[in-house]
Amino acid sequence: MEKAKMTVDKDFKIGEVDKRLYGSFIEHLGRAVYGGIYEPGHSSANEQGFRADVLEMVKELQVPIVRYPGGNFVSGYNWEDSVGPVSERKRRLELAWRTIETNEFGFNEFVDWTKQANSEVMMAVNLGTRGADAARNIVEYSNHPEGSYYSDLRIKHGYKEPHAIKTWCLGNEMDGPWQIGHKTAEEYGRAAVEAAKVMKWTDPTIELVACGSSSLNMQTFPDWEATVLDHTYDHVEYLSLHQYYGNQEKDTPTFLARSLEMDRFIDTVKATCDYIKAKKRSKKTMYLSFDEWNVWYHSHENDSKMDPWQIAPPQLEDIYNHEDALLVGCMLISMLKHADRVKMACLAQLVNVIAPIMTDTGGGSWRQTIFYPFMHASVYGRGTALVPLIQSPKYDTKQITDVPYLEGIAVHNEERGEVTVFAVNRHLEESLPLEVDLRSFGKCSLIEHIVLENDDLKATNTAAQPNRVVPHNRGGAEVSDTLITASLAKASWNVIRLKVQ
């Protein structure tokens, strides 16, 4: 195999990595809440019914922010149903996923859970069946200190101090015909700007996320972004992106190249934002929130057979394999390569529903294959993302050409005195010789070289075999002054950690 090379310089910076890039997502969908983060009566449950085994794994991932309560769910969500005495809460037909929502676990419980998970809330408001009035009311309930109807109602419900939620999403996937209250870009832009105005009049300190396109493949992309931003540019701080990938065609080389499409998606949204910035003669830069991303396709067949109107049925329970973990690693690298503009992101989702963490209701829990690249990036990928100058052999697929076998990025954490190189070898049959030139850093020393590899691309972790696909730190990278040499195993995710002067 021809050698690959990466050159990085500490002065060639992409941008600071916002810790919220490693966010996640909990929706009232399937067993994400009931049987996932919340299960009274479970042997590990605390006094609020939160599963301690799940909390420990979430803390292991160091998730800084969690989006809630949806997702498609939020477009039919009456937030008032989920607060106050549990015995008085209404059971609802949940139309997005065709289940029964008991509202036993609600808004305040979620705020409590995020605190125990060492995280923060990214709260979404319903702009499907509702609008500006309900949006301003939940901000008042959540963030106003006291002396108004909704703030006093929160105090009555046992929460004297405001929740002080900073980040709010203006609806969800409103461009999608599947969405409750689906709108055109013009209709959504008008609804979003009016909601934004009253929400910020209620609490001027909050930050808002407007809905971008639900995927790169939407027919309305990127006209949707341009129209929505025409209305909302002066009132929001972020525009959202959503994207999922699958390997239904069993074409792994193409599947592992999909992160190049993710790069193109981000670049197109950036360009659209900057066009509206120029059009409005604005000095403000619009940042991006990639608040839904993952691999999702394994569970489609089972979900199509699901009987409606159950309570917390096992929906969207993808069991991830080794190749899925490789693409998740590539997608993380893609977002790090755009760290100057992508400031928030949410791996969708966190527990049981297309998730890195799985549980058995009443039983144990385990880490899926995708848990590991996400954890490595979250723990070691904080600091400054550096421009990766990459030379790599390439391959072509039926759909994507000029795919580099090496996908990589470096992050400099000046406070820790560390540089971390994240690298994926996309080659399915051969190892990839790699040189990383860190010429500007002075003498470096190796901390460790972590590798996630498996001879079986379809290997999974299960309750019975939770450690079938796990990383090791025997990667074998070597450092001579400022030059790293390594052999990246075939189809592998690599984390090379270095101590620098």
Side-chain angles (χ1 to χ4, degrees):
M1 167 72 80
E2 183 183 341
K3 181 171 64 178
K5 185 174 181 179
M6 181 193 304
T7 304
V8 294
D9 189 298
K10 63 182 177 182
D11 291 326
F12 294 171
K13 303 174 182 179
I14 298 170
E16 291 301 307
V17 179
D18 192 311
K19 68 177 183 178
R20 295 172 299 173
L21 193 70
Y22 305 115
S24 193
F25 181 23
I26 285 287
E27 182 171 0
H28 280 254
L29 161 59
R31 297 189 308 119
V33 174
Y34 306 108
I37 65 173
Y38 173 78
E39 190 180 343
H42 188 271
S43 60
S44 77
N46 63 21
E47 66 281 358
Q48 288 186 275
F50 305 156
R51 284 186 60 152
D53 58 340
V54 172
L55 277 168
E56 287 308 307
M57 288 190 193
V58 174
K59 290 176 184 177
E60 193 177 341
L61 291 172
Q62 295 186 21
V63 178
I65 195 166
V66 184
R67 184 166 171 251
Y68 177 85
N72 295 347
F73 173 86
V74 79
S75 291
Y77 174 60
N78 295 332
W79 70 267
E80 302 91 340
D81 292 346
S82 75
V83 298
V86 173
S87 62
E88 297 176 12
R89 297 182 190 176
K90 299 174 182 176
R91 293 164 65 101
R92 295 282 194 181
L93 293 183
E94 203 291 286
L95 300 182
W97 302 105
R98 303 193 75 210
T99 60
I100 298 289
E101 175 53 54
T102 66
N103 285 302
E104 178 183 344
F105 182 99
F107 176 46
N108 290 319
E109 287 84 5
F110 184 72
V111 173
D112 289 342
W113 181 85
T114 56
K115 290 177 180 176
Q116 294 183 34
N118 298 332
S119 191
E120 297 176 357
V121 178
M122 178 192 291
M123 189 69 190
V125 300
N126 177 359
L127 293 187
T129 60
R130 307 186 82 180
D133 191 47
R136 62 141 179 186
N137 290 344
I138 189 173
V139 174
E140 179 185 325
Y141 180 91
S142 172
N143 289 9
H144 195 70
E146 61 183 344
S148 67
Y149 175 79
Y150 284 107
S151 61
D152 288 346
L153 185 62
R154 181 197 70 244
I155 294 169
K156 181 181 177 182
H157 292 160
Y159 295 84
K160 171 65 176 173
E161 296 301 317
H163 295 323
I165 295 173
K166 185 176 181 64
T167 311
W168 297 77
C169 300
L170 298 170
N172 174 76
E173 293 187 353
M174 300 309 298
D175 61 327
W178 59 85
Q179 199 69 208
I180 301 170
H182 163 63
K183 293 173 173 59
T184 66
E186 185 71 27
E187 290 168 341
Y188 170 70
R190 289 289 304 123
V193 74
E194 293 306 318
K197 284 158 57 178
V198 296
M199 291 169 75
K200 285 194 170 180
W201 290 343
T202 304
D203 182 353
T205 70
I206 62 175
E207 292 185 332
L208 299 177
V209 185
C211 288
S213 294
S214 300
S215 82
L216 175 66
N217 303 317
M218 297 297 290
Q219 290 297 310
T220 51
F221 173 76
D223 290 338
W224 172 276
E225 278 76 1
T227 301
V228 168
L229 288 175
D230 243 345
H231 290 286
T232 62
Y233 198 92
D234 294 332
H235 298 272
V236 305
E237 285 69 39
Y238 303 91
L239 184 69
S240 75
L241 301 83
H242 291 182
Q243 187 66 49
Y244 298 96
Y245 293 112
N247 191 16
Q248 296 90 331
E249 299 84 7
K250 297 181 172 57
D251 179 356
T252 300
T254 298
F255 178 62
L256 296 183
R258 293 297 182 193
S259 62
L260 302 185
E261 293 183 348
M262 189 175 187
D263 289 335
R264 180 161 54 90
F265 188 16
I266 295 170
D267 288 339
T268 304
V269 175
K270 282 170 52 180
T272 307
C273 292
D274 291 345
Y275 160 65
I276 300 298
K277 177 181 181 178
K279 180 180 175 181
K280 290 182 174 290
R281 278 67 170 173
S282 176
K283 294 182 179 180
K284 182 174 83 172
T285 297
M286 185 63 59
Y287 293 107
L288 307 183
S289 175
F290 217 125
D291 51 36
E292 286 191 33
W293 68 274
N294 205 345
V295 172
W296 174 21
Y297 75 103
H298 297 284
S299 59
H300 288 345
E301 184 177 349
N302 287 339
D303 289 340
S304 68
K305 302 172 184 176
M306 188 74 63
D307 292 330
W309 315 129
Q310 300 180 60
I311 297 174
Q315 294 170 295
L316 281 66
E317 296 203 0
D318 275 36
I319 302 301
Y320 290 114
N321 58 37
H322 178 60
E323 69 181 16
D324 298 328
L326 297 181
L327 182 59
V328 163
C330 289
M331 294 172 81
L332 285 160
I333 291 170
S334 178
M335 287 185 286
L336 284 168
K337 288 193 298 185
H338 296 88
D340 57 330
R341 296 295 286 273
V342 181
K343 293 299 182 182
M344 298 191 293
C346 300
L347 176 70
Q349 295 187 17
L350 187 54
V351 185
N352 289 329
V353 174
I354 48 174
I357 299 168
M358 292 297 294
T359 73
D360 280 332
T361 301
S365 55
W366 66 97
R367 299 162 185 82
Q368 295 232 61
T369 62
I370 67 170
F371 182 97
Y372 297 105
F374 185 81
M375 177 190 68
H376 293 150
S378 178
V379 174
Y380 302 122
R382 306 200 184 199
T384 305
L386 303 176
V387 176
L389 301 177
I390 291 177
Q391 298 169 270
S392 171
K394 298 178 180 180
Y395 69 95
D396 295 335
T397 76
K398 295 176 182 178
Q399 300 180 41
I400 306 173
T401 58
D402 295 318
V403 182
Y405 283 112
L406 173 66
E407 185 64 84
I409 189 75
V411 177
H412 179 207
N413 190 316
E414 190 171 7
E415 185 178 343
R416 290 182 184 171
E418 294 181 13
V419 171
T420 301
V421 174
F422 300 103
V424 173
N425 177 10
R426 290 188 172 102
H427 203 294
L428 304 182
E429 298 172 355
E430 296 182 29
S431 60
L432 178 63
L434 172 66
E435 284 187 359
V436 182
D437 187 340
L438 298 171
R439 63 186 68 180
S440 66
F441 281 97
K443 190 174 182 179
C444 304
S445 58
L446 182 71
I447 299 173
E448 62 179 339
H449 177 183
I450 303 168
V451 183
L452 185 67
E453 60 178 327
N454 199 285
D455 286 336
D456 182 1
L457 289 170
K458 307 300 181 181
T460 63
N461 293 338
T462 62
Q465 291 184 295
N467 298 314
R468 187 178 176 195
V469 184
V470 295
H472 64 78
N473 63 354
R474 303 183 304 276
E478 296 181 353
V479 180
S480 176
D481 291 329
T482 62
L483 185 67
I484 308 167
T485 57
S487 178
L488 306 184
K490 66 179 183 180
S492 64
W493 160 260
N494 298 264
V495 184
I496 303 173
R497 300 180 57 220
L498 303 151
K499 194 72 179 176
V500 298
Q501 300 290 349

